[in-house]
Amino acid sequence: MKHFTFFTILVVFAIQTVFTVNSLIPKELSAGESAVLPNTEPLLQNENCAERNNRFVTEFLNEKIIDSINHREKFWNRKFDNRHVYETSVSKNRERFRFIIGVRDNRQDYESPDLCETLEIPALLAETVTHKIYAIRWPVFESLNGEGILLEPKNIQPNKKILKNIIHVPDCNITPEQIIGVIKSDDINETINSAGFDTSIDQCRVIIPTIVDRRFEKRRSAILTNREYIYRAAFQLGRHIIGYEVQEILALVDWIKKTEGAIVRLEGYGEGGLIAFYAAAADTRIDETVVAGYFNNRNRICDEPIDRNVFGLLEQFGDAEIATLIAPRKLILVNRNAPELQLKSEKNGAPGILVKPQNDIVKKEIERAKKLVEPLTVNNVAHSDWIVFEPDEVIKPSGLLLRKIGEELSAPGHSAKDQFTKNQFAEVQSDRIQFRNKRIINGMDKHTQHLLERSTLTRKEFWKHHNASSLQKHAETVEWYRDYFSKNVIGRFDDPLVTPKPRTRLYKEEMSHTVYEVELDVFDGVIAYGLLLVPKNPAAGEKRPVVVCQHGLERTPSITLRGSEGNAYNGFSTELCERGYVTFAPQNLYVLKDKFRFNQRQLNSLGKTLFSVIVAQHQQILNWLKTLDFVDRNKIAFYGLSYGGKTAMRVPPLADGYCLSICSGDFNYWNLKTASTLFDFSYIWSNEYEIFEFDLANTYDYSDMAKLIAPKPFMVERGHSDSVGRDEYVGFEFGKVRYFYDHCLKLPDHAAIHWFDGGHRINGEKTYPFLDHFLKNNP
């Protein structure tokens, strides 16, 4: 009998083992309706859900980028009566352009640039027959100076004036010293066309500013290019390295234009071409502009180095539209020796490529610009050649003045290097350049950090029209802020959701519940996917509350199931289903590393973010869940960990249908975490280069997003040893949430935080009762 009992136990154990193993293997569609949810079609495709989702979104966004050109004219209202009328008619577009490139801060007034010299190193670098060459700096903001080289004409008579002020902006990897030949370089090519150079060169002043380079530097745990390092924090503050460098140029224009009748010619090559182009579009005081090695069709801005990522650029602007902000002033475009570059996604930084613009594409973009402002020439407001293209095959020699200066400096007796040995001079100039670069980078960083310090006050000013004196006043005044968040921070597609056409397939059977794969159409070519867990044996007519269980970075819905790898999730979609909830685990976009981060670059160019797509996917999921006869459509909650916690702060305020939100492993003093260069837990040092949200620090932090969720219940789950943040900053930010719910809304039980002794994981000890209280116990 004992042997029989033991044998029976072995058989039962074997059967259970087979059933358990099989239950972990996704089941493909089999004959019989039980493998498909009622009122759905069979899900037949077997492609990896994350790959499929990413591929569809990439194709959708490529089409949106190409189509963006067809929607830009609705933002413009050009009038062509005369130059003043025209420039006034595009002033709102110019204002928008300045905003998105971060030209937003008042510059400092100053009398003239300062000479840069020390007791050991003179400011005078060289002297020719016609010019003295100095190292100079000039104030931009309180913490930032522009620096570069000044070529000052020597023989200006008292009754004469400088005929032309030339600001020559080199590529970011070329120094001003290399441009004029004080330091020789075999890598420097002639880049600036002499077209339009009709002024006596001995009466021209030239200033060559320094541009931040793309050299990799190690800072803390990150190795980033200098340009990406500045870009990251500045972007979060609504600023940009492009904007900072444009401001350096405009600070020079401020000084030059103090002289009545002074003419400014702005030249730029490569990255300097970008800066010159943008500066001329931003400021009408620049009389003529030369852009070399940059002008192009900008549809592939998502491929370029991330420090060129301008939020919402393609919504209103391609290069043709930017050129119309310069019209009718002279614009000369040169397509020669454009810098080429390939950055790989190593060392924490973003990938990017630069390729030489093709002449035929450049010509098409120029023709588009001409057509946009054609009435200017018809009305004789501008010459028909206000925009001139100098292609590769007809390029003329480099700027006459710089060529002559270089020739003179090659002769003995003219350069400051004659005071030193050859090695001493090279060492002195190398040190000068190195310290100058550090000063500029540190100045930009200090300005950004100053803005971050003041951002609490900036957000307070932004929120001044929100009335939190009562629940009713909150409801009346918060909608504007929710709409702004949706449109200007997250980014909102105007496309209507398509019919979902749900497709389902049995994923696995458990003793207590059934798991289905679900796929829904969202937009034309965009899908939503997830796992639906349905408790078995419901009472007749019973409707269950739903918890949407959101995974984190580089995960898929199955990670939320019990038995999956990664114990941080503790099988919470399974656990909640066994507690009586219907649960749904969606596939979000933030998987496949550089692939999804490329989607963010595509989206940013359109003024959108990953959450522009994710919100739409969740809205379609909610719409569909509400149609299920076993779902209580009024009780659908959200619970997400890590990147799912980010989703918990951004989707429930916007997707119509969530009644509650729980943020686990993410709640933070968010803008400090993303933009501070002081703390080691900052995203500045991470490889998550997609994380930065343009201008967020001036508008919303996590306590403000909680206001958008309110009065719906909101909870935070925080492990003391979770490296995503620090308790003191999490507590600081949540204190504002507590005050708002307790004091303003008089809903003290609707906001909670659970501190537990643990790390980055779903804990559930307090969050499950929180869900029960609002989803089960309340009618």
Side-chain angles (χ1 to χ4, degrees):
M1 183 67 181
K2 290 182 180 179
H3 292 291
F4 176 76
T5 304
F6 178 70
F7 176 76
T8 303
I9 292 171
L10 285 176
V11 171
V12 171
F13 177 76
I15 292 172
Q16 288 178 336
T17 301
V18 170
F19 178 82
T20 302
V21 171
N22 286 339
S23 70
L24 295 175
I25 302 173
K27 292 179 171 59
E28 295 187 11
L29 181 66
S30 59
E33 293 300 317
S34 62
V36 179
L37 275 173
N39 302 315
T40 68
E41 295 295 320
L43 176 59
L44 301 176
Q45 69 83 27
N46 289 301
E47 184 181 356
N48 176 281
C49 64
E51 290 276 3
R52 178 175 166 84
N53 197 11
N54 173 266
R55 178 166 55 83
F56 284 177
V57 168
T58 301
E59 293 170 357
F60 171 77
L61 295 176
N62 281 336
E63 292 177 2
K64 285 289 183 184
I65 288 170
I66 293 170
D67 190 46
S68 65
I69 189 175
N70 299 318
H71 301 279
R72 291 176 193 156
E73 274 304 290
K74 67 183 179 183
F75 297 103
W76 297 78
N77 185 28
R78 298 181 183 89
K79 296 181 180 179
F80 304 100
D81 300 50
N82 55 55
R83 175 172 174 171
H84 175 73
V85 168
Y86 174 74
E87 290 182 343
T88 300
S89 73
V90 299
S91 60
K92 288 185 177 179
N93 304 93
R94 194 185 316 280
E95 182 180 342
R96 175 62 181 171
F97 180 69
R98 289 168 67 99
F99 180 87
I100 62 177
I101 66 172
V103 178
R104 298 170 58 176
D105 302 309
N106 294 327
R107 295 183 296 277
Q108 284 194 312
D109 190 20
Y110 65 103
E111 185 176 354
S112 66
D114 298 325
L115 299 179
C116 288
E117 61 184 0
T118 68
L119 292 175
E120 297 179 348
I121 305 176
L124 182 65
L125 294 176
E127 185 172 352
T128 71
V129 173
T130 58
H131 288 76
K132 290 185 177 182
I133 304 174
Y134 298 98
I136 63 167
R137 63 170 165 259
W138 59 97
V140 183
F141 310 130
E142 184 176 351
S143 59
L144 175 63
N145 292 320
E147 297 196 38
I149 287 178
L150 168 68
L151 285 70
E152 186 72 1
K154 294 167 58 176
N155 302 317
I156 299 295
Q157 301 300 320
N159 60 340
K160 292 186 178 182
K161 64 180 181 180
I162 293 174
L163 294 182
K164 189 168 291 188
N165 297 269
I166 303 164
I167 304 174
H168 181 103
V169 192
D171 183 52
C172 61
N173 290 325
I174 299 175
T175 68
E177 289 80 2
Q178 289 171 320
I179 289 291
I180 63 171
V182 172
I183 292 181
K184 296 295 183 182
S185 174
D186 294 334
D187 298 327
I188 304 305
N189 293 311
E190 294 173 351
T191 58
I192 297 299
N193 182 11
S194 63
F197 210 120
D198 54 1
T199 307
S200 175
I201 60 175
D202 61 355
Q203 292 180 263
C204 290
R205 170 193 286 141
V206 179
I207 306 167
I208 309 174
T210 300
I211 300 299
V212 175
D213 59 33
R214 283 205 182 91
R215 286 187 302 111
F216 283 97
E217 295 278 352
K218 181 172 175 54
R219 296 176 176 88
R220 296 183 184 258
S221 59
I223 301 177
L224 304 170
T225 68
N226 287 323
R227 296 189 71 79
E228 183 174 351
Y229 170 68
I230 295 300
Y231 157 84
R232 288 188 171 196
F235 196 79
Q236 193 80 7
L237 272 298
R239 305 310 195 271
H240 207 292
I241 185 170
I242 292 172
Y244 288 160
E245 292 180 333
V246 166
Q247 290 275 45
E248 290 179 10
I249 302 304
L250 299 186
L252 287 172
V253 176
D254 295 339
W255 167 57
I256 293 168
K257 286 295 184 177
K258 287 181 178 180
T259 301
E260 185 177 353
I263 296 174
V264 176
R265 173 187 172 99
L266 182 55
E267 305 174 341
Y269 163 66
E271 214 63 32
L274 182 159
I275 301 304
F277 187 46
Y278 281 19
D283 197 316
T284 58
R285 297 175 300 166
I286 295 166
D287 300 286
E288 54 189 61
T289 308
V290 180
V291 176
Y294 176 75
F295 190 88
N296 202 356
N297 178 305
R298 207 48 61 189
N299 283 354
R300 300 311 300 175
I301 190 174
C302 51
D303 294 326
E304 297 176 24
I306 198 168
D307 54 80
R308 289 187 174 188
N309 182 42
V310 176
F311 188 76
L313 181 72
L314 298 184
E315 184 179 41
Q316 291 191 29
F317 308 99
D319 279 9
E321 285 80 11
I322 296 172
T324 68
L325 292 177
I326 299 174
R329 293 168 288 143
K330 191 79 169 182
L331 175 61
I332 301 168
L333 301 172
V334 181
N335 191 30
R336 181 180 189 240
N337 297 329
E340 295 188 297
L341 174 73
Q342 182 169 4
L343 297 172
K344 296 182 179 179
S345 57
E346 301 172 351
K347 310 172 184 177
N348 303 92
I353 58 173
L354 293 177
V355 296
K356 178 185 174 181
Q358 298 179 16
N359 278 340
D360 57 339
I361 295 176
V362 173
K363 288 176 182 177
K364 287 180 181 179
E365 193 72 2
I366 291 172
E367 289 307 311
R368 211 166 59 79
K370 288 181 176 180
K371 187 174 181 180
L372 288 171
V373 294
E374 189 173 16
L376 276 176
T377 58
V378 173
N379 295 349
N380 296 319
V381 177
H383 296 293
S384 59
D385 62 347
W386 69 271
I387 185 169
V388 176
F389 180 45
E390 296 286 351
D392 198 55
E393 61 271 14
V394 297
I395 193 73
K396 298 178 184 179
S398 195
L400 299 179
L401 176 57
L402 295 179
R403 174 182 286 274
K404 182 176 180 181
I405 293 293
E407 290 173 352
E408 288 197 37
L409 288 177
S410 64
H414 288 295
S415 174
K417 66 185 176 184
D418 294 312
Q419 303 173 31
F420 304 92
T421 67
K422 183 176 181 180
N423 290 338
Q424 285 175 331
F425 181 78
E427 185 176 339
V428 165
Q429 296 308 318
S430 177
D431 288 345
R432 185 201 294 270
I433 293 167
Q434 181 181 353
F435 290 129
R436 179 179 64 200
N437 291 345
K438 286 183 177 180
R439 286 194 299 269
I440 293 172
I441 292 168
N442 290 340
M444 290 180 177
D445 183 32
K446 285 180 180 178
H447 183 71
T448 303
Q449 297 307 302
H450 173 69
L451 294 170
L452 179 61
E453 291 171 6
R454 293 189 53 82
S455 64
T456 298
L457 298 176
T458 308
R459 290 193 299 276
K460 184 177 181 181
E461 176 67 16
F462 176 76
W463 279 85
K464 67 182 179 182
H465 297 298
H466 175 244
N467 189 333
S469 62
S470 68
L471 186 58
Q472 180 180 349
K473 292 293 185 182
H474 166 67
E476 290 172 356
T477 57
V478 77
E479 282 307 313
W480 184 91
Y481 293 93
R482 184 177 288 114
D483 185 68
Y484 187 97
F485 185 68
S486 173
K487 183 179 179 182
N488 298 295
V489 177
I490 297 300
R492 183 173 63 211
F493 282 111
D494 295 329
D495 305 54
L497 298 178
V498 300
T499 304
K501 299 179 182 177
R503 285 87 66 191
T504 63
R505 174 170 60 205
L506 180 66
Y507 186 78
K508 66 175 173 179
E509 290 275 3
E510 296 283 13
M511 295 295 292
S512 62
H513 62 277
T514 307
V515 185
Y516 293 93
E517 291 180 87
V518 178
E519 186 176 277
L520 309 170
D521 291 338
V522 179
F523 297 136
D524 186 16
V526 176
I527 61 169
Y529 171 90
L531 297 179
L532 179 71
L533 284 68
V534 183
K536 290 184 175 179
N537 304 317
E542 181 182 15
K543 293 184 180 294
R544 301 286 185 99
V546 180
V547 181
V548 173
C549 301
Q550 189 62 66
H551 66 80
L553 181 67
E554 297 298 343
R555 298 297 188 178
T556 59
S558 62
I559 196 69
T560 69
L561 304 178
R562 184 179 295 140
S564 299
E565 294 181 6
N567 59 14
Y569 294 86
N570 286 323
F572 78 127
S573 64
T574 303
E575 176 71 22
L576 287 166
C577 187
E578 291 178 349
R579 288 171 175 257
Y581 295 100
V582 173
T583 61
F584 188 86
Q587 175 66 64
N588 267 7
L589 285 178
Y590 37 76
V591 292
L592 305 177
K593 299 182 179 179
D594 283 340
K595 287 186 177 181
F596 90 81
R597 295 186 170 104
F598 175 74
N599 291 152
Q600 180 79 316
R601 293 291 309 278
Q602 291 176 294
L603 286 154
N604 276 186
S605 72
L606 297 167
K608 307 292 190 293
T609 66
L610 290 172
F611 287 101
S612 305
V613 178
I614 292 171
V615 167
Q617 290 172 321
H618 276 257
Q619 189 62 68
Q620 193 73 305
I621 289 167
L622 286 164
N623 294 347
W624 178 72
L625 287 172
K626 291 177 182 180
T627 68
L628 302 179
D629 57 12
F630 50 84
V631 163
D632 185 340
R633 60 183 291 124
N634 296 315
K635 292 185 176 181
I636 305 177
F638 187 97
Y639 189 174
L641 171 67
S642 193
Y643 228 118
K646 290 177 182 60
T647 311
M649 300 307 302
R650 292 160 177 80
V651 171
L654 303 181
D656 182 22
Y658 283 119
C659 69
L660 176 153
S661 184
I662 299 176
C663 174
S664 180
D666 185 70
F667 190 88
N668 250 295
Y669 184 3
W670 184 252
N671 289 303
L672 182 77
K673 178 173 176 59
T674 49
S676 174
T677 55
L678 180 62
F679 299 101
D680 57 4
F681 62 82
S682 172
Y683 273 115
I684 297 295
W685 322 118
S686 82
N687 64 352
E688 295 179 53
Y689 55 82
E690 86 294 343
I691 209 75
F692 307 96
E693 296 161 286
F694 184 71
D695 203 38
L696 185 71
N698 296 314
T699 52
Y700 303 84
D701 212 304
Y702 270 18
S703 61
D704 304 301
M705 295 181 199
K707 292 176 186 176
L708 304 182
I709 295 171
K712 298 170 185 176
F714 172 68
M715 186 171 183
V716 171
E717 190 171 46
R718 163 69 190 170
H720 291 306
S721 57
D722 188 345
S723 61
V724 78
R726 300 271 180 85
D727 280 358
E728 58 267 35
Y729 297 113
V730 174
F732 168 79
E733 192 66 13
F734 188 78
K736 291 180 276 186
V737 178
R738 172 67 74 193
Y739 174 85
F740 180 69
Y741 272 85
D742 286 11
H743 177 73
C744 301
L745 302 186
K746 311 302 181 188
L747 295 171
D749 66 330
H750 277 50
I753 186 169
H754 178 217
W755 305 90
F756 65 91
D757 190 17
H760 192 68
R761 61 182 174 86
I762 295 287
N763 180 270
E765 180 183 347
K766 300 294 184 182
T767 52
Y768 294 164
F770 189 79
L771 288 166
D772 291 344
H773 175 69
F774 289 102
L775 300 185
K776 290 183 177 179
N777 301 335
N778 287 341

